[in-house]
Amino acid sequence: MIVERLVREQLRAMGCERFDLGIRRVAGEMILREGQGAIEIEGAIKWLRHENGKGAHIYIRPAGTHSLSLIDDLNADAIERMKAEGFEPAVVVETSPNNFQAWLNHGQVLEATMSTRAAKRLVERFGGDPSSADWRHFGRLAGFTNPKPERELPSGMRPFTRLRSAKGRVYSQAAEFLARISKNEQDQCETVKDKQTHRRRREGVEIKTLKEFHDDAIYAGDLHRADMAWAKHAASCGMTLEQIRDGLLNGRDLRKKGNRKRQIEYVMRTTEKALRNL
């Protein structure tokens, strides 16, 4: 069947071992099936079509950290410019007439912060929706309709999500693009660190340990709040993302958060929020 073929081609071109499926129903309920293999997703197509027929949106994203960036809400001219400048998409999905999503393959798995930064740089360069530029954003799965009311066709029908390209290749400028981002990030971190180190020396600020926050009665044993407070404190004292991340990973038993992947995701969320607040 056509839907099965389109789904198979899109998943193959995205090149991930596992995916997260998102099914958002009309009432707003989001059904999330995490860590699905291609075979499992293909086996769920009949159910997905049933949900889609009732007005649900059918979404896909890589599970865990990955090598892809999604750029949403592009027009055909932007897609052509990406190709001309060496940013050839691995996957192009037309979500409604002349409205596209592009998945770019960086050729290497990126940690969450780097992945989000790459997505934002791509949106700045080629356009698209800035609110979709992060490491965990969902894209649409080809072969299903787009139920957004504003995308309804003049005929009153919903447009099908079409797979326009599924080459799966790493884009030509990947190595140079990532190197530039890493260099900019390093320069910014060094500048911030120098300023904060100077301020700490001037003010005599001492970095407290994570255990001191855990033992502080103000948090009443809520280690999640204590973790966040320590991360903000550490960031304000000039510790880097990697140092804060390692401090949280090694500072207490995180097994209640789930497997190692979920522990790392918790630590990254906490660290990134602390740095954003800073």
Side-chain angles (χ1 to χ4, degrees):
M1 294 176 64
I2 294 177
V3 177
E4 283 82 350
R5 177 178 60 80
L6 293 175
V7 168
R8 188 178 303 115
E9 289 181 6
Q10 180 175 348
L11 298 183
R12 185 185 300 119
M14 290 176 72
C16 305
E17 291 186 7
R18 295 285 169 180
F19 301 87
D20 294 339
L21 265 176
I23 300 91
R24 183 160 59 83
R25 290 173 168 167
V26 175
E29 175 190 6
M30 186 68 161
I31 300 172
L32 184 61
R33 289 191 172 185
E34 297 181 288
Q36 301 285 291
I39 294 177
E40 294 170 285
I41 294 173
E42 290 176 32
I45 286 178
K46 184 177 180 180
W47 172 67
L48 294 174
R49 292 183 67 184
H50 176 71
E51 290 290 335
N52 186 227
K54 295 190 296 182
H57 299 261
I58 310 300
Y59 297 119
I60 194 75
R61 71 183 180 193
T65 53
H66 52 84
S67 62
L68 300 173
S69 283
L70 172 69
I71 312 179
D72 190 14
D73 204 17
L74 295 168
N75 58 34
D77 290 339
I79 297 291
E80 291 306 313
R81 187 159 67 88
M82 291 172 69
K83 295 176 182 177
E85 296 181 13
F87 289 79
E88 307 90 346
V91 175
V92 177
V93 175
E94 187 174 16
T95 60
S96 60
N98 198 36
N99 193 274
F100 300 87
Q101 292 178 339
W103 291 94
L104 273 75
N105 187 342
H106 299 290
Q108 58 182 281
V109 174
L110 306 181
E111 66 172 19
T113 303
M114 181 67 167
S115 183
T116 294
R117 187 169 288 111
K120 291 185 181 300
R121 294 293 180 273
L122 290 167
V123 168
E124 290 172 3
R125 179 164 182 164
F126 297 107
D129 182 5
S131 66
S132 301
D134 63 68
W135 76 288
R136 293 290 279 162
H137 209 80
F138 275 111
R140 290 191 181 274
L141 188 56
F144 300 92
T145 62
N146 182 345
K148 278 188 175 181
E150 62 268 28
R151 299 300 184 187
E152 187 176 281
L153 300 173
S155 64
M157 302 291 287
R158 298 170 182 161
F160 275 92
T161 301
R162 303 179 184 278
L163 186 62
R164 292 305 190 190
S165 176
K167 296 183 178 180
R169 62 169 295 181
V170 177
Y171 61 96
S172 305
Q173 291 292 317
E176 293 82 353
F177 177 68
L178 295 178
R180 285 197 300 272
I181 294 177
S182 296
K183 179 64 165 57
N184 291 339
E185 178 183 5
Q186 183 179 359
D187 291 346
Q188 291 172 5
C189 286
E190 289 178 355
T191 299
V192 171
K193 187 176 180 180
D194 288 345
K195 290 180 178 178
Q196 292 174 338
T197 299
H198 179 71
R199 180 180 62 80
R200 290 203 311 275
R201 288 173 178 171
R202 186 178 69 247
E203 299 176 357
V205 177
E206 181 181 353
I207 301 178
K208 297 181 180 179
T209 66
L210 179 60
K211 187 176 186 303
E212 288 180 81
F213 280 80
H214 287 173
D215 294 342
D216 195 325
I218 194 173
Y219 302 111
D222 187 339
L223 298 187
H224 174 74
R225 288 178 56 218
D227 285 346
M228 180 59 72
W230 177 80
K232 291 178 180 178
H233 163 72
S236 70
C237 290
M239 290 182 67
T240 66
L241 181 147
E242 290 75 15
Q243 290 171 328
I244 299 172
R245 178 193 63 194
D246 292 343
L248 290 171
L249 277 174
N250 301 319
R252 71 176 175 97
D253 187 350
L254 290 172
R255 284 178 293 182
K256 288 185 178 180
K257 300 296 181 183
N259 59 30
R260 187 63 172 175
K261 179 173 80 74
R262 292 188 179 277
Q263 293 173 26
I264 292 173
E265 289 176 350
Y266 164 75
V267 166
M268 290 304 300
R269 286 196 304 271
T270 303
T271 304
E272 290 170 5
K273 185 175 181 180
L275 291 171
R276 282 199 303 272
N277 289 341
L278 176 65

